[in-house]
Amino acid sequence: MVWIGGLAAAALVAALFTGPTPVLIALVGVAALAVLIRWPAISVGAVILLGLTAWPAFVPYDINVGPITIRLFEPFLIFAAAWALFALRPPPKIKAFAGVLVGVAAVWGVAGYAMGYPSSGIIADIRGTITVALMGLVVGGVYGSRFGEPMLKTIKVSLWISAAFTLAGWTFGLPLAGRAGSAGLWLVGSGAPDDSAATRYLTSASELAVIAVCVTVAMVMMGVARLRDVTPFLMPAALIVAAGFSRNSFLAIGVAAIVALLVARSAAALRGAISLATVAMAASVVGALIVTAGLPGADLIASTWAGFEGRVLGGIAGDALALDSSARARFVENMYATAGIAQSPILGNGFGYAYRPGFGPTGSFTATSGMYYAHNYWLWVPLKTGIIGAVLILGVAFIAPTVRGLLFGGRIGRAFAATSVGVLVSLIYAPFPNDSGSGGSLAIGLLLGAVWATSRRDSRNGTEPGTGERTQKRTRRKAGLTITAVPGG
């Protein structure tokens, strides 16, 4: 108890010189650190709930300490990564994965500093990459340990919380943290989107939900689980995805499902696909009956379908893409990015490089951060790091474990690998690894950590590839229990 009295005395003295707010923040930090040292696994749950969950807009997502903005999940992520690295001891390949990403961020970040780029641009560029690395390290350490099941339960709780608040936003107009707007397309010359369409919500849970849908669908097709086993994850995740009305989300899910079906090549996979299609058709019929009968919820279902039909289905048509202001803006981005790559194709231009001029109102995203941000992640990486960095990030860290999982992984490993293929394709349109402020980086890190952990070839000893050495020592009672060791499923 002596140290508590000493801490209180030091806090009182510090408050006389700095004011109460910094001291309060410091005391809260010390208390949180004491709790985490005693129960380190709490840090993983804190990362999920603070960084991957949709909360109302009045719940703070970050804090400002002087000129620095700190995401609330970041201190917990750093602690969780250190705990996983030194206490859980993830496999060497996962440590190498994290090391590659952190190394690229460090080398090309220093290059950007040497070139005189603004520190704000450098930090914005490297923040997401480091977040992916740390989250992947956490998942790699937790996977196969006794902490895997609690992590998966926390993900399930996070999805249901996010789904509940998303539904509250849809039905009662509750403001949510993140982006909200009409699901209608902004067409050139129209001046505004279609106001009759539903409101779309892009929150910190959006990309996690996409991954959850992809993994659960792939697992059903792989015969790892029955539909009823994955329903507690699939239901809230599907609602969150539907509320996003994002074409790249449905692209990822579609590609993942096709890859899972092709890789499985079995009657069980076909039966799984049929069962999923049957459920989707049944839900559509029920929705149509509610709208036709004018039952409660009819207006919401009708506006949701109108938004889905207009933005997702109609938005991929050639004429719609030609007039879609978002698609046209991304085409311009790609032109600038391609020109920037040509300037330094081998080493890239460094993190913090502004590849296009700013435009729009002073202080807007397009006039500030947008100069460093590109929607096409497959162009953004070589733009900043050249061919060398692209090989390390895209080839070594992202593609290699995905291919290995498809070729050598067991059913669980192939389900994650199929999901990775779908998500990697969607990165052409949305740079989720760079979205550290909206859950994208954490979700990608979670997925890649799981892909690395399951991309093992252990078939000779009769175990499920990728379940981890510690998990292999335990006998799973059924497939549904095996899933509980898989983060992100």
Side-chain angles (χ1 to χ4, degrees):
M1 299 298 291
V2 176
W3 69 272
I4 297 178
L7 180 62
L12 180 60
V13 173
L16 296 176
F17 295 95
T18 63
T21 302
V23 174
L24 180 61
I25 293 175
L27 289 176
V28 171
V30 171
L33 182 60
V35 172
L36 293 179
I37 291 175
R38 179 65 180 84
W39 299 286
I42 292 177
S43 61
V44 180
V47 170
I48 295 169
L49 293 176
L50 294 174
L52 287 169
T53 307
W55 296 102
F58 60 79
V59 176
Y61 187 77
D62 48 39
I63 58 173
N64 293 320
V65 180
I68 302 175
T69 299
I70 300 177
R71 324 282 189 209
L72 291 181
F73 71 84
E74 287 178 332
F76 294 97
L77 177 61
I78 294 172
F79 183 93
W83 170 61
L85 179 62
F86 296 109
L88 301 181
R89 298 179 182 178
K93 61 182 180 181
I94 294 179
K95 291 187 284 188
F97 153 77
V100 166
L101 293 181
V102 172
V104 170
V107 170
W108 274 270
V110 170
Y113 179 80
M115 295 179 187
Y117 299 151
S119 58
S120 59
I122 297 174
I123 293 173
D125 278 354
I126 69 174
R127 199 168 196 164
T129 302
I130 294 178
T131 300
V132 171
L134 296 182
M135 191 61 181
L137 191 64
V138 170
V139 174
V142 168
Y143 187 91
S145 74
R146 63 188 177 92
F147 302 105
E149 185 172 348
M151 179 179 179
L152 193 64
K153 289 180 178 178
T154 306
I155 291 174
K156 181 167 63 174
V157 170
S158 171
L159 288 172
W160 278 104
I161 291 174
S162 301
F165 282 124
T166 300
L167 188 60
W170 244 351
T171 55
F172 304 113
L174 176 68
L176 302 181
R179 293 168 50 198
S182 173
L185 291 174
W186 284 80
L187 301 179
V188 175
S190 65
D194 180 10
D195 290 333
S196 65
T199 301
R200 66 189 301 241
Y201 291 97
L202 298 175
T203 67
S204 298
S206 295
E207 189 59 13
L208 174 64
V210 172
I211 292 172
V213 171
C214 290
V215 172
T216 52
V217 167
M219 282 187 170
V220 171
M221 290 186 175
M222 294 289 178
V224 177
R226 293 164 295 185
L227 183 58
R228 67 183 183 185
D229 296 325
V230 301
T231 297
F233 293 90
L234 183 58
M235 282 184 62
L239 188 148
I240 297 167
V241 171
F245 294 96
S246 292
R247 287 165 284 186
N248 58 73
S249 297
F250 291 96
L251 173 65
I253 295 170
V255 171
I258 293 173
V259 171
L261 188 62
L262 294 176
V263 170
R265 296 194 305 273
S266 65
L270 185 59
R271 288 195 299 269
I274 293 174
S275 66
L276 289 167
T278 302
V279 170
M281 291 179 61
S284 300
V285 171
V286 171
L289 292 175
I290 291 175
V291 173
T292 302
L295 297 176
D299 293 340
L300 176 61
I301 294 175
S303 62
T304 300
W305 174 251
F308 179 80
E309 186 178 33
R311 183 178 187 87
V312 179
L313 299 180
I316 61 176
D319 53 347
L321 288 175
L323 296 175
D324 182 6
S325 59
S326 176
R328 294 179 64 162
R330 297 183 191 200
F331 177 75
V332 174
E333 277 187 0
N334 292 345
M335 291 179 58
Y336 278 114
T338 303
I341 293 172
Q343 292 178 5
S344 182
I346 305 299
L347 297 176
N349 297 282
F351 287 134
Y353 170 68
Y355 75 102
R356 66 166 179 80
F359 64 91
T362 303
S364 65
F365 175 81
T366 55
T368 54
S369 303
M371 296 186 295
Y372 313 101
Y373 181 98
H375 285 84
N376 189 331
Y377 188 73
W378 290 88
L379 289 180
W380 183 89
V381 173
L383 168 69
K384 304 288 179 149
T385 65
I387 294 176
I388 296 177
V391 168
L392 292 174
I393 294 178
L394 299 175
V396 175
F398 290 11
I399 297 177
T402 301
V403 173
R404 183 175 176 82
L406 290 174
L407 296 178
F408 305 126
R411 292 180 298 172
I412 293 176
R414 290 179 178 179
F416 277 113
T419 299
S420 182
V421 174
V423 171
L424 290 179
V425 170
S426 74
L427 297 186
I428 298 174
Y429 304 102
F432 296 115
N434 288 337
D435 287 342
S436 63
S438 58
S441 301
L442 285 175
I444 296 298
L446 190 151
L447 171 62
L448 291 176
V451 171
W452 273 101
T454 56
S455 62
R456 302 180 57 168
R457 189 172 187 177
D458 299 322
S459 56
R460 287 178 295 180
N461 59 21
T463 59
E464 174 68 21
T467 54
E469 295 177 359
R470 286 164 296 205
T471 302
Q472 292 170 15
K473 296 177 182 179
R474 302 194 299 269
T475 302
R476 296 295 183 180
R477 291 175 295 177
K478 58 181 180 178
L481 187 55
T482 302
I483 297 172
T484 62
V486 185

